[in-house]
Amino acid sequence: MEINLEEQFQKRIDEEVKIEPRDWMPEKYRKTLLRQISQHAHSEIVGMLPEGNWITRAPNLRRKVALLAKVQDEAGHGLYLYSAAETLGMSRDEMLEELHTGKAKYSSIFNYPTLTWADMGAIGWLVDGAAIMNQVPLCRTSYGPYARAMVRVCKEESFHQRQGYEIMLTLCKGSEEQKAMAQDALNRWWWPSIMMFGPNDDNSPNSAQSMKWKIKRFSNDELRQKFVDVTVAQAEILGLTIPDKDLKWNEARGHYDFGAINWDEFNNVVAGNGPCNKQRLKARVDAWEKGAWVREAATAYAEKRAKREKNKIEAA
Amino acid sequence: MNQKEILFDYILHLADNSMIIGQRNAEWCGHGPVLEQDIALTNISLDLIGEARSLYQYAAEIKGGGATEDSLPFLRDVLQYRNLLLVEQPNTDWAYTIVRQFFFDVYHYYLNKMLIEHSNDTRLKEIASKTIKEATYHLKWSSEWMIRLGDGTDISKSKMQTAVEELWDFTGELFLESATEQAAAQAGFGISPSSIESYWREKVAEILEEATLTIPEKGFAQKGGKTGIHSEHLGYILAEMQFMQRAYPNLEW
């Protein structure tokens, strides 16, 4: 009977019918999605830290408010995504436990430090830009709750990306010092952003199955190429140089060729040796541990209150 | 001080309060005890900084000479800041943050209510009318947290009682009238803080009682913020907040 169920499941996927939480699904589909969505949620939450690092130092009030609201949006994305993942049978607390013990991963991009204000521009422009490339197709992913969460996430992400680009534009129209700050940020964030799309296709073992299940719609390399193609023109408008001497338009392919990616660096950061891996995880664990008494008190109070209400009703 | 200078100084006092507590709350962003409350406190921070912007814009118009909503917060030093000592106190932990917010929210709510009812300055009334909606929500949120944590566990109760006692020293200043406040009230655009004291004490007593917390003795009131004599904390808040404008002056961002 199992085979039949799998066939029916695949048929629904092929017919573009969304899979919902109560539907039968192969265990591996559930696990793959749970891993992907919880990783995505963790990325939103850990991703609050590098930008949160500049909220108190934003250069003017307009920027401060915009940055604060942006980081808050990321917390909101974390919430939708944890909720979507919970429909697959794991609680938010369990997912957080996996993050805190290092069992679950998050996007490696957030293990790089934010050193200047220009990093707020570069992250919005490049990191959110790359995230959008990855995420727009997820609005049509086969699992209903994930697809619906992503529709909301994508709307806000594209706003963030424009906001980041506008920071870069302002810097590039500014003083020599500001322009140098913008170029430096591009130099530091370019390659990590390119790496956000994950390993090359010939080195990405889970991709074929995810494509078949329509969790993924495009391969890592396709998305990476698309990102490079649109970003080059944006860098030209800014008057900035992308730090890749091999970057060149290829007339025959109709795409930009670009240099080899340093996968050693990527693997190292994934393995925990990036410049901020330890600090990021520590910040999350600290927030969780220091908040324990607050969560316990909130639970205790809610229980007391429920009991009082019950007593009141019984007395009446 | 002439009338214009009094109005300017009075607006700065209102703006600096919301700016500094907004900046303090923003330090929590990404570090809250639970995601929903991280979002809630950030909302409050956004409201308060938004209010400060409206007030700084008004103050900048009065001052003229190229003053802006940014030159006022980013280019004044400690002695020119007019905020209450309460709002510059460190976050310390969630208990301190909640108690600080609650003490401020009660004050902020009644102050804006009075401004709407009594100020003869149209612009201040307009800003207060927008602020009161937000302040009403802030007060509800912080009151609920006072009660939840006061009447939660033994640990939360003890942390809250400590925070109440330590921050209590900074609440007396709320009602000590500065020369500017006195002149502003006389001129009809400002509110004498003593006129909101009884409302503040009544509300605080009501919530502390429900939270099963003890109200401290009246005690000694630390003061000075309204006239620029601050605690050592404000210098560090400004050093961080003003870093970009000080390191790279006169640029667009």
Side-chain angles (χ1 to χ4, degrees):
Chain A
M1 284 314 281
E2 185 83 344
I3 292 163
N4 252 337
L5 284 171
E6 284 227 35
E7 277 171 7
Q8 278 170 18
F9 176 80
Q10 188 63 47
K11 192 164 166 277
R12 290 188 65 184
I13 300 257
D14 294 341
E15 288 167 356
E16 300 284 340
V17 178
K18 291 272 178 275
I19 306 302
E20 296 298 336
R22 286 161 185 275
D23 295 341
W24 184 89
M25 63 187 82
E27 187 53 18
K28 196 165 168 250
Y29 176 86
R30 195 185 64 80
K31 277 198 171 139
T32 301
L33 268 170
L34 186 55
R35 194 189 65 230
Q36 182 171 334
I37 304 172
S38 63
Q39 244 177 50
H40 192 164
H42 298 328
S43 299
E44 296 284 355
I45 300 313
V46 178
M48 295 170 75
L49 299 170
E51 289 175 289
N53 187 36
W54 276 89
I55 291 170
T56 55
R57 289 179 292 168
N60 60 41
L61 293 185
R62 181 172 76 93
R63 294 293 186 201
K64 186 189 289 289
V65 166
L67 184 61
L68 192 50
K70 184 195 168 180
V71 178
Q72 186 193 36
D73 281 348
E74 285 158 10
H77 298 173
L79 271 186
Y80 318 150
L81 289 162
Y82 282 125
S83 303
E86 281 184 321
T87 64
L88 293 160
M90 190 187 262
S91 71
R92 197 204 303 181
D93 283 8
E94 287 171 308
M95 288 183 256
L96 288 174
E97 172 75 16
E98 290 196 341
L99 173 68
H100 298 154
T101 54
K103 195 182 164 210
K105 301 281 183 216
Y106 55 86
S107 180
S108 278
I109 193 83
F110 302 120
N111 291 317
Y112 291 87
T114 52
L115 302 179
T116 72
W117 171 251
D119 290 10
M120 298 306 100
I123 289 180
W125 172 36
L126 301 171
V127 176
D128 292 329
I132 291 166
M133 288 289 166
N134 267 325
Q135 291 171 0
V136 166
L138 289 173
C139 298
R140 294 189 296 126
T141 195
S142 58
Y143 187 58
Y146 191 24
R148 290 188 288 272
M150 290 315 299
V151 171
R152 295 177 67 181
V153 171
C154 283
K155 274 187 199 152
E156 290 172 353
E157 288 293 357
S158 66
F159 179 70
H160 296 164
Q161 203 245 352
R162 283 203 297 277
Q163 197 170 285
Y165 190 71
E166 204 253 317
I167 291 177
M168 294 303 271
L169 209 52
T170 308
L171 293 174
C172 291
K173 284 195 287 198
S175 69
E176 283 307 308
E177 232 172 354
Q178 285 174 304
K179 203 167 169 189
M181 201 186 266
Q183 181 65 55
D184 163 76
L186 172 57
N187 293 348
R188 282 182 291 110
W189 291 96
W190 175 255
W191 287 106
S193 301
I194 294 290
M195 293 177 199
M196 279 175 71
F197 296 93
N200 288 126
D201 294 349
D202 50 15
N203 202 12
S204 181
N206 300 320
S207 284
Q209 182 65 70
S210 282
M211 298 273 265
K212 193 176 170 223
W213 278 333
K214 296 190 180 174
I215 295 173
K216 269 176 96 135
R217 300 252 173 191
F218 299 97
S219 77
N220 295 353
D221 286 332
E222 283 171 328
L223 291 166
R224 184 167 13 241
Q225 182 70 59
K226 209 173 157 193
F227 174 73
V228 172
D229 289 347
V230 303
T231 309
V232 171
Q234 294 168 351
E236 276 167 11
I237 294 168
L238 294 172
L240 296 177
T241 309
I242 290 178
D244 178 359
K245 61 179 172 32
D246 299 319
L247 187 78
K248 212 176 80 198
W249 177 252
N250 182 326
E251 193 65 54
R253 289 204 308 125
H255 290 293
Y256 281 93
D257 290 337
F258 51 93
I261 292 168
N262 182 351
W263 291 114
D264 281 348
E265 177 182 329
F266 177 80
N267 292 328
N268 240 319
V269 180
V270 172
N273 301 318
C276 298
N277 292 59
K278 291 192 176 77
Q279 292 90 320
R280 299 292 185 237
L281 199 56
K282 184 176 184 304
R284 287 313 316 157
V285 172
D286 280 355
W288 186 250
E289 287 176 353
K290 286 180 187 159
W293 70 270
V294 178
R295 297 188 302 274
E296 281 157 19
T299 309
Y301 176 74
E303 281 164 7
K304 276 188 207 175
R305 215 180 130 148
K307 208 169 158 187
R308 279 178 213 149
E309 289 294 315
K310 202 178 152 223
N311 290 345
K312 227 191 275 174
I313 292 164
E314 277 169 12
Chain B
M1 281 202 284
N2 63 33
Q3 288 298 94
K4 205 173 118 179
E5 285 164 340
I6 294 162
L7 180 58
F8 176 73
D9 205 55
Y10 185 68
I11 301 168
L12 279 188
H13 162 63
L14 300 177
D16 290 346
N17 280 338
S18 294
M19 181 70 240
I20 297 299
I21 197 166
Q23 172 84 358
R24 274 293 192 215
N25 288 339
E27 293 172 19
W28 271 104
C29 185
H31 305 276
V34 63
L35 213 39
E36 286 82 349
Q37 299 310 323
D38 200 304
I39 292 173
L41 191 57
T42 302
N43 257 334
I44 292 171
S45 183
L46 282 166
D47 286 345
L48 291 165
I49 298 173
E51 181 204 352
R53 282 181 79 181
S54 302
L55 291 163
Y56 285 136
Q57 284 161 13
Y58 185 26
E61 285 168 32
I62 290 165
K63 189 167 201 282
T68 68
E69 66 163 24
D70 290 319
S71 70
L72 294 173
F74 289 95
L75 299 176
R76 279 178 305 140
D77 203 349
V78 168
L79 297 177
Q80 282 94 46
Y81 258 79
R82 293 287 174 261
N83 62 278
L84 299 161
L85 297 176
L86 174 70
V87 299
E88 68 199 41
Q89 297 311 305
N91 289 345
T92 313
D93 63 10
W94 190 252
Y96 271 72
T97 301
I98 292 295
V99 174
R100 184 185 65 200
Q101 190 63 38
F102 171 67
F103 287 164
F104 178 73
D105 286 342
V106 181
Y107 171 78
H108 193 221
Y109 172 81
Y110 285 111
L111 180 60
N112 279 282
K113 194 163 177 277
M114 288 289 199
L115 281 170
I116 294 168
E117 286 167 14
H118 301 293
S119 176
N120 60 15
D121 185 289
T122 321
R123 183 83 168 266
L124 271 183
K125 277 172 99 142
E126 272 169 23
I127 297 171
S129 304
K130 182 168 183 288
T131 300
I132 195 88
K133 292 180 196 135
E134 298 163 350
T136 305
Y137 163 75
H138 302 167
L139 178 56
K140 179 171 184 286
W141 182 85
S142 60
S143 299
E144 284 169 4
W145 272 104
M146 290 294 293
I147 296 164
R148 193 175 287 134
L149 295 176
D151 192 19
T153 60
D154 291 345
I155 292 171
S156 71
K157 188 191 179 84
S158 128
K159 282 179 187 284
M160 290 297 279
Q161 189 63 47
T162 305
V164 164
E165 273 158 30
E166 292 198 10
L167 289 167
W168 194 255
D169 290 356
F170 301 104
T171 59
E173 189 197 15
L174 272 51
F175 313 108
L176 291 175
E177 197 164 74
S178 69
T180 297
E181 282 172 317
Q182 193 179 27
Q186 267 166 17
F189 52 78
I191 298 302
S192 166
S194 56
S195 66
I196 52 179
E197 181 167 2
S198 60
Y199 295 107
W200 188 90
R201 295 205 182 276
E202 196 181 323
K203 182 72 181 172
V204 168
E206 175 204 319
I207 297 296
L208 287 185
E209 194 191 337
E210 200 178 338
T212 69
L213 294 169
T214 312
I215 300 182
E217 301 281 312
K218 208 162 178 185
F220 186 77
Q222 294 292 341
K223 58 178 186 294
K226 291 177 183 181
T227 52
I229 308 301
H230 291 273
S231 64
E232 290 178 347
H233 301 299
L234 186 64
Y236 290 93
I237 296 175
L238 297 186
E240 198 172 332
M241 188 169 102
Q242 299 179 342
F243 161 67
M244 290 295 291
Q245 292 288 350
R246 301 292 190 186
Y248 305 95
N250 302 317
L251 297 174
E252 291 293 317
W253 298 97

